[in-house]
Amino acid sequence: MRTAIRPTHLHFRDLANHFLALSSGDRFLRFGWVMTDVEIVAYVESIFVSADNAWAVVEPDRDISGVMHLESMGCGVNLGLSVSAWARNLGIGTLLLQRAGLLARARALTTLFVRNLRLNAALQQLALRLGMRVACAPNALTTSLEVAPADGHITQLDEFRGKITLADDSLRSEWNAVSGDPSLLDLPEPIFH
Ligand SMILES: CC(C)(COP(=O)(O)OP(=O)(O)OC[C@H]1O[C@@H](n2cnc3c(N)ncnc32)[C@H](O)[C@@H]1OP(=O)(O)O)[C@@H](O)C(=O)NCCC(=O)NCCS
């Protein structure tokens, strides 16, 4: 069974290798733009400044198959999640998203921002299965799965029902603009750190 651990400096090279192996498309979804290799190494260094917010799944051969990072951005917290291409569809993304939800709840966060969430059907599906809400545009809130998987079996874990919202990063400024009246967006007010 896989578990997520907090990476230490001993994992630096494996963490860098995990991110460097992401394709351009994955880098775009994970970081919001196609990060260069140099930017990725700088990013991995920055992770250790606040290592308590990063979690990694380490395989028996020491390869890192998945990383989750909650980044405080001054006005809200960003969620970054990545699973190595060779390790997908094994439940690692779900495991890390569950961890993110538990950390958010422990810190009384109701909203996690995600870059390019509107373009990321896979992550939206994972969030909805865990009972999280998904917000990709003002006044557009998705709260349940709309498409059943091919085998018709929906695994609704329901763990975070209504308590955590994944919001597209583009909503951050609109949320701030109406923070005096969050009902305009029909969304819960995010808690800023
Ligand atoms: C999104 C991501 C984290 C999912 O990780 P994962 O370990 O494959 O996730 P899981 O194994 O827990 O779940 C995969 C599920 O998503 C579904 N899925 C995969 N791609 C999908 C897509 N394009 N549209 C809808 N569902 C999709 C799979 O069918 C699977 O569902 P199943 O359990 O019914 O088979 C991974 O694909 C990834 O790292 N992508 C690149 C970076 C990224 O997008 N990060 C998120 C934004 S920060």
Side-chain angles (χ1 to χ4, degrees), residues 2 59 65 83-95 126:
R2 290 179 167 89
E59 299 292 326
S65 54
V83 174
S84 302
W86 53 266
R88 295 205 180 143
N89 296 316
L90 298 174
I92 296 171
T94 302
L95 169 79
L126 290 195

Side-chain angles (χ1 to χ4, degrees), residues 66-114:
V67 182
M68 184 276 289
H69 189 196
L70 291 180
E71 275 180 282
S72 189
M73 304 300 285
C75 55
V77 173
N78 257 36
L79 166 66
L81 191 63
S82 54
V83 174
S84 302
W86 53 266
R88 295 205 180 143
N89 296 316
L90 298 174
I92 296 171
T94 302
L95 169 79
L96 290 170
L97 188 57
Q98 274 176 307
R99 179 60 56 95
L102 292 172
L103 287 170
R105 273 207 323 219
R107 295 171 195 182
L109 289 166
T110 56
T111 304
L112 298 175
F113 292 99
V114 179

Side-chain angles (χ1 to χ4, degrees), residues 18 22 25-27 29-31 65 79-85 87-95 114-117 120-123 125-126 129 149 151 153 155:
H18 166 81
L22 294 177
D26 288 346
R27 291 183 191 195
L29 289 174
R30 169 59 182 80
F31 297 109
S65 54
L79 166 66
L81 191 63
S82 54
V83 174
S84 302
R88 295 205 180 143
N89 296 316
L90 298 174
I92 296 171
T94 302
L95 169 79
V114 179
R115 296 188 183 101
N116 293 326
L117 180 62
N120 200 333
L123 187 60
Q125 290 262 351
L126 290 195
R129 274 194 209 166
D151 63 2
H153 178 70
T155 314

